[in-house]
Amino acid sequence: GASATAQNKASLMLGKVYQSRGEYEKAKDEFISTLNNAQDESGAEAKYRLAEIHLQLRDHRQCYETVISLNRDFGSYTEWVGRGFLLLAESFLQTGEVFQAKATLKSLEKFPLEKIKTEALLKLKKIKLILRKDWDLLENFFRFLKEERENSI
């Protein structure tokens, strides 16, 4: 029969195909099957892909728990752990937990992989821009209210 490694890779690939088609339940089954048989990089990626699906389905609690277990069970697979934390930051942003998102991204500033570090810094910049825009909008709104009040006296 096929080696376990080959089988895991096939299962992982199939899961990714289902995921790209939006067939999340089938994708989850393949990723779980990979996880049950693989404690190698295929397992790490399968765990990451599960977290990604939870995010796609807006299941933020599950996304969080999956990323935490990815870090715990596959800590030696640096890239997948890093990508998991980027995913977590995205989840925090989607639920309006900006402070948590920033803290998560800041924790990646000294990450051993350059591409993860770069991505984290880009996301931090984006958050700062969004916050600045919101702040400018608020300031303009309050200025408008003040002028309205002064004009009505």
Side-chain angles (χ1 to χ4, degrees):
S3 79
T5 309
Q7 244 169 332
N8 292 334
K9 282 204 164 86
S11 199
L12 185 62
M13 286 307 298
L14 194 54
K16 284 155 72 168
V17 169
Y18 284 135
Q19 184 181 8
S20 71
R21 289 191 195 150
E23 296 181 50
Y24 297 125
E25 288 312 310
K26 286 180 181 173
K28 274 193 218 173
D29 288 345
E30 292 302 329
F31 294 142
I32 288 166
S33 157
T34 306
L35 267 173
N36 289 337
N37 301 307
Q39 290 307 308
D40 58 2
E41 189 166 7
S42 290
E45 184 178 352
K47 182 77 89 165
Y48 168 81
R49 299 288 170 198
L50 278 171
E52 201 174 41
I53 288 176
H54 293 311
L55 184 64
Q56 288 168 318
L57 296 173
R58 301 279 187 262
D59 187 347
H60 297 285
R61 177 97 222 120
Q62 273 304 117
C63 176
Y64 173 82
E65 285 172 9
T66 307
V67 170
I68 296 305
S69 75
L70 168 65
N71 185 38
R72 186 188 59 230
D73 303 340
F74 294 97
S76 57
Y77 296 99
T78 321
E79 182 180 348
W80 296 111
V81 170
R83 288 174 71 170
F85 281 113
L86 289 170
L87 211 59
L88 190 56
E90 185 56 44
S91 176
F92 284 137
L93 276 181
Q94 287 182 14
T95 54
E97 297 173 74
V98 179
F99 182 80
Q100 289 283 63
K102 280 171 73 175
T104 304
L105 293 168
K106 278 203 167 96
S107 75
L108 295 173
E109 283 179 340
K110 291 186 168 44
F111 203 75
L113 283 182
E114 206 51 52
K115 63 179 175 182
I116 301 288
K117 227 188 313 196
T118 306
E119 180 80 14
L121 290 170
L122 275 174
K123 280 183 187 275
L124 272 171
K125 271 195 186 126
K126 230 160 78 180
I127 292 173
K128 281 185 183 137
L129 283 173
I130 291 165
L131 291 178
R132 191 167 301 135
K133 262 192 216 132
D134 288 352
W135 194 247
D136 289 345
L137 278 173
L138 273 177
E139 281 187 328
N140 288 332
F141 177 65
F142 285 122
R143 195 173 303 121
F144 166 77
L145 284 181
K146 191 176 166 217
E147 286 165 8
E148 282 289 294
R149 204 170 45 238
E150 286 166 359
N151 292 337
S152 68
I153 293 171

